[in-house]
Amino acid sequence: MENKAALSAGERLIKSKQNRSLGELRGKILVTLCALIMITATVAVTIFLTVKGLQSFLVNHVSPIEFLTSTNWNPLADQPSYGALPFIFGSLAVTFLSALIAAPLGIGGAIFMTEIAPSWGRKVLQPVIELLVGIPSVVYGFIGLTVLVPFIREHGAGTGFSILAGTIVLSIMILPTITTIATDAMGALPNSLREGSLALGATRWQTIRKVLLPAALPSLLTAVVLGMARAFGEALAVQMVIGNVRNLPESLLDPSATLTTIITLNMGHTTYGSVENNTLWSMGLILLIISFVFILIVRYLSSRRKI
């Protein structure tokens, strides 16, 4: 009986090990398959967009220099021109200007939640940030259209549709991204930095300004760059307030257009394979390239983190 019991226990142990090994193999296959799907999707989108984006230059013989430097966009003229510079400028302008507004607010909110009032600051601001994240883009655009645009029209110049309106809407939209990442960066700093600075006689503000902010600077810059990447690809909200004109703006109160707004407005009104359709794909390729640039900047900043 004892031998049978021992044998039965040994068989159960062997079977348990086999089941465990089989479960680990299944888990490994599952996660590997997920990784391969992500890689395949990324490579496929990149190749497809590259092929489509280059057709306007290789097949339709549109000049790349004219496309990138000309300010004249008129694809329906007798002698059509395809200058995308106003749209590239509009995209970069609203992206950088919105980052200039949102970065100080987001980093300031992160400092408040982690250093000034860590006990109740997060309880107050965290629901606000989550609320901003959950609001759809069309709601931001509609609020900007009904509130912000008339306000600029009455107190400024022009129609109210402007780079300024697009910048303000985008700065509010990217604020949660910057605040969340900046809060995590400040919270991840070791307490020894704070304790050592205070032990040397520094005040709280001196500790924040001269110790904590320099230590978290790469992560804070990463937050700003990710916010800019979010702003650069936004279409609907900006489309509703920026004006969507083909001219190069001369001031913040002038209407403009971005790459995303022109693509969304015109893609449905072009024939697949036409010159205008291919130039819109070329704009999409520019968006992809600049997005890759943002990713490279994030990777570089991440490699500089020392703490």
Side-chain angles (χ1 to χ4, degrees), residues 2 11 35 47 59 69 81 95 145 164 188 205 212 214 217 225 228 241-242 270 285 298:
E2 293 180 357
E11 290 177 349
I47 293 176
V59 177
T69 60
S81 55
T95 298
L145 181 63
L164 179 60
W205 287 107
L212 300 181
L217 184 60
V225 173
M228 293 172 62
V241 299
I242 200 170
T270 61
L285 180 60
V298 170

Side-chain angles (χ1 to χ4, degrees), residues 12-290:
R12 288 197 302 269
L13 181 60
I14 293 174
K15 188 175 181 180
S16 177
K17 289 183 178 179
Q18 291 176 347
N19 292 335
R20 200 159 47 238
S21 300
L22 183 60
E24 291 179 358
L25 179 61
R26 290 175 179 173
K28 183 177 180 180
I29 292 175
L30 179 61
V31 297
T32 303
L33 181 62
C34 293
L36 289 176
I37 292 175
M38 293 175 60
I39 294 172
T40 302
T42 303
V43 173
V45 170
T46 302
I47 293 176
F48 176 80
L49 195 53
T50 301
V51 172
K52 292 295 296 180
L54 292 177
Q55 284 187 357
S56 60
F57 308 125
L58 301 179
V59 177
N60 304 118
H61 305 292
V62 175
S63 172
I65 297 178
E66 177 187 357
F67 182 76
L68 296 174
T69 60
S70 175
T71 60
N72 187 15
W73 173 267
N74 193 357
L76 301 179
D78 295 334
Q79 294 182 349
S81 55
Y82 304 96
L85 181 60
F87 316 134
I88 299 174
F89 176 83
S91 295
L92 294 176
V94 295
T95 298
F96 282 98
L97 290 174
S98 62
L100 287 177
I101 296 175
L105 296 176
I107 295 175
I111 293 174
F112 179 81
M113 286 190 288
T114 57
E115 306 299 329
I116 305 303
S119 59
W120 60 272
R122 188 183 294 266
K123 295 180 181 179
V124 173
L125 285 183
Q126 196 68 33
V128 176
I129 295 173
E130 294 174 354
L131 178 63
L132 292 176
V133 171
I135 298 176
S137 298
V138 65
V139 176
Y140 282 107
F142 188 67
I143 294 175
L145 181 63
T146 56
V147 177
L148 185 59
V149 170
F151 180 84
I152 296 176
R153 182 189 304 124
E154 294 175 2
H155 297 84
T159 61
F161 296 95
S162 59
I163 287 184
L164 179 60
T167 297
I168 296 175
V169 170
L170 277 182
S171 63
I172 298 175
M173 294 182 65
I174 68 175
L175 185 59
T177 301
I178 298 177
T179 304
T180 300
I181 300 176
T183 301
D184 294 338
M186 297 296 294
L189 295 176
N191 286 327
S192 58
L193 290 176
R194 302 173 179 86
E195 295 170 355
S197 178
L198 295 174
L200 292 174
T203 64
R204 176 188 293 181
W205 287 107
Q206 289 174 334
T207 300
I208 293 173
R209 183 168 60 91
K210 296 185 178 182
V211 178
L212 300 181
L213 286 179
L217 184 60
S219 298
L220 298 178
L221 292 177
T222 299
V224 175
V225 173
L226 287 175
M228 293 172 62
R230 166 77 171 86
F232 190 76
E234 179 56 42
L236 184 57
V238 180
Q239 176 183 323
M240 297 174 71
V241 299
I242 200 170
N244 306 304
V245 299
R246 304 172 181 178
N247 302 325
L248 197 65
E250 298 180 357
S251 70
L252 292 177
L253 298 178
D254 288 340
S256 182
T258 65
L259 292 169
T260 52
T261 60
I262 291 299
I263 291 174
T264 55
L265 285 173
N266 295 343
M267 185 63 77
H269 304 286
T270 61
T271 304
Y272 185 81
S274 63
V275 182
E276 184 180 2
N277 183 270
N278 288 338
T279 53
L280 295 178
W281 282 109
S282 298
M283 293 184 189
L285 180 60
I286 294 176
L287 285 171
L288 180 66
I289 293 173
I290 297 180

